[in-house]
Every structure is written in structure tokens, then in C-alpha cells.
Amino acid sequence: MSYQVLALDLDGTTLRDDHTLNPWVIECVQQLAKKYHVMVVTGRHHTAAKPYYEELGIDTPIICCNGVYRYDYASDTVETSMPIPKSLAKDFLSLANQHALRMVMYTESGMAYLQQNPMPYMIPLQRWAMNYPIEKRPNIYQIEDFRHELELATEVWKFVVQGDDENFHTFMQEPAIVEHFSGSFSGENRVDLAMKGHSKGQALKDYLATLQLDIEQAVAVGDNYNDVSMLSMAGCGVAMLQADEGVKRHADRVTTTDNYGEGLAQLLKQLFPL
């Protein structure tokens, strides 16, 4: 098979755990992008991925929030999306509050989390964002009230929720959640939830169709369960060495090193001859 497209996850794949790009991957992607279609398919908000796009030197659209929307940096536009209706988002907030869950809300402008009882991983993430000059800074910010922020928002892409065992599992069994939402676990008792039907794999397939390309012509790389759909649908799915066995089972290849090593870059050079 002659592959034409490379679809890369960010966290745990092209990124090391300190939020920096793997230097071997940077060099490899910059070479491949001269001949092949290289893009990012991530769970991140587009503002939190843009610094990496610029460092990698690619200009293709990005698929964000695990397939919820596709964004084009060049035109600063959302090309396709599956937003959560505001009425449903209000119901979601009520249920999450009833079950005492921590939350992050992704809107068209950025990632919002509460000043009181914040989601733990958001604090170092915002600290990372502050390293960038204001004109390039990912929009990660604290708020006092989700309902007020929802009123200000034009679109809601997804929620991240986390809580203790009992509250979390009871919330996930609520009829409104089961009926309208699906998602991927991103930590202990933590899940990214958006409208049912979204996935990285489907979003990648739909985008490639606009280029008259089949997903069989793509290599997809990831490390977590939100990547499974694109690993299984792509012509070649590549799992990172450190991925769970449940993720690796859906991949055709596994890298020889984790996200700190040279294994991914070495494999990509085999799959995409220059």
C-alpha cells in the first residue's frame, strides 16, 4: 500500500509528557510534509494545539476534540462540527453539579474551568499556556460559573468531567447522558464527553473524502482509547509502545519506543518513503 496521508495524535504520541514535541518527530514531520499530507487529529482544543502546528510547520486543517470539529488555521474558521445544543448543555451542567463532578467546558473560544475545586490537570496546562506570548497563547481560563459562561458561548464542543467512583458511575448511567453523549476515558474516573456519533476515525474519513482520498490511504498514530477509531479505520494504524494492550489490539504496528524515543520517527520513514 502506498500511503498518502499521516494523521497524528498529539498527547502521548508526538508530544512528550512535559508538553514538548519529540525532536525526532519534528524533524521527520517537516520532511514528510514536503511530499505527503500530514495533519493532526487530537482531543485538544484548536487554540491548545496551534503552537505545535507552527513548530511542526504544517498548514493542513486540524481535527479537534476527538472528532467533534475540524478547524482551518489559515482562514480561522470551523469547517465542520457537531456542537452540543445549548439546552442539552444546560441539562448536562445540572446533572454534573448534582453528582459533584469537576468539569472543563470547551467552547468555540477556549477551555474554561472553575476557580473553585478545579480539575487538577488544568492548572499545569494553564501554566504551560502562559509560557507563550499573548498573541499565540492557548485560551485556557478560569471562571466562576459554568452557566454564565454557557450563555456567553456560541458553540459548546465537549465537556470533561471527573469525580469519585460512586458519583462518577451514577452520572454516566443517567438517561440523558446515555442517550445523547459518548466519549473516551482520559484518566481515572475522568471522561471527555461530546455528542454521540463523534470519533477521530469518522472525522478523518469524512475529511479525506473531501480530498477524494480513502482512509485506507492513511496512516494514523495514537496512544489512547480515543485513538482506537482511527487506528482501526486507517490503512495502517500505529500504536505507541506505552499504549494499553486494549489500544494496541486495534493497531497494525507498534512503535519500538515510547513518546520520548526515536521509534515513531523511524517507523514513519519506513511507511513514507522520501
Side-chain angles (χ1 to χ4, degrees):
M1 170 65 73
S2 176
Y3 300 112
Q4 300 300 316
V5 178
L6 173 59
L8 290 166
D9 171 51
L10 283 178
D11 294 272
T13 300
T14 58
L15 296 181
R16 298 177 293 192
D17 297 346
D18 62 356
H19 301 292
T20 61
L21 283 164
N22 181 312
W24 284 296
V25 173
I26 296 174
E27 181 184 4
C28 179
V29 165
Q30 289 175 345
Q31 292 175 1
L32 295 183
K34 297 175 183 178
K35 183 176 179 180
Y36 300 98
H37 195 91
V38 181
M39 65 183 304
V40 167
V41 184
T42 179
R44 287 190 177 224
H45 193 282
H46 68 271
T47 66
K50 187 175 182 181
Y52 304 122
Y53 247 61
E54 293 180 351
E55 192 171 352
L56 289 169
I58 54 179
D59 57 6
T60 49
I62 182 172
I63 293 171
C64 298
C65 288
N66 298 324
V68 171
Y69 70 102
R70 187 173 75 236
Y71 187 85
D72 180 52
Y73 290 116
S75 60
D76 192 25
T77 57
V78 174
E79 295 186 333
T80 62
S81 67
M82 296 177 61
I84 302 169
K86 278 201 171 184
S87 59
L88 190 56
K90 289 178 182 178
D91 293 341
F92 187 102
L93 291 176
S94 295
L95 286 170
N97 285 328
Q98 289 172 26
H99 292 83
L101 300 182
R102 295 186 178 99
M103 282 184 288
V104 182
M105 184 168 69
Y106 288 57
T107 70
E108 79 286 346
S109 61
M111 304 160 60
Y113 69 106
L114 287 181
Q115 294 174 358
Q116 293 187 337
N117 196 26
M119 186 81 77
Y121 79 92
M122 291 299 293
I123 297 171
L125 191 63
Q126 186 173 21
R127 193 178 302 126
W128 160 80
M130 295 299 291
N131 291 322
Y132 291 92
I134 192 165
E135 67 274 9
K136 294 185 177 182
R137 186 175 301 161
N139 194 19
I140 302 169
Y141 57 100
Q142 289 183 296
I143 57 173
E144 294 183 358
D145 179 67
F146 276 115
R147 285 188 172 274
H148 177 68
E149 189 66 21
L150 179 60
E151 292 300 323
L152 299 176
T154 303
E155 305 282 10
V156 178
W157 304 130
K158 75 172 182 178
F159 290 100
V160 183
V161 295
Q162 185 174 32
D164 62 40
D165 282 344
E166 183 177 354
N167 284 337
F168 179 79
H169 291 294
T170 303
F171 170 81
M172 292 296 292
Q173 293 168 7
E174 288 281 355
I177 302 303
V178 173
E179 181 180 356
H180 297 291
F181 293 91
S182 63
S184 303
F185 285 91
S186 53
E188 185 177 359
N189 289 341
R190 188 176 81 205
V191 66
D192 296 28
L193 290 170
M195 294 301 294
K196 262 191 175 177
H198 80 281
S199 75
K200 286 188 174 186
Q202 188 60 51
L204 177 60
K205 181 180 179 180
D206 292 344
Y207 170 64
L208 295 182
T210 69
L211 305 177
Q212 285 75 53
L213 293 172
D214 191 276
I215 197 168
E216 285 289 326
Q217 296 172 273
V219 173
V221 190
D223 72 304
N224 214 330
Y225 287 96
N226 62 339
D227 300 309
V228 164
S229 61
M230 70 173 182
L231 296 185
S232 58
M233 293 172 70
C236 180
V238 177
M240 299 299 292
L241 180 65
Q242 80 277 7
D244 284 353
E245 290 303 317
V247 175
K248 291 178 182 177
R249 282 197 295 269
H250 295 273
D252 302 293
R253 305 284 292 270
V254 177
T255 61
T256 56
T257 66
D258 63 13
N259 53 323
Y260 279 83
E262 195 176 356
L264 174 56
Q266 291 172 337
L267 180 54
L268 292 179
K269 289 173 183 178
Q270 296 173 25
L271 295 172
F272 293 95
L274 293 170

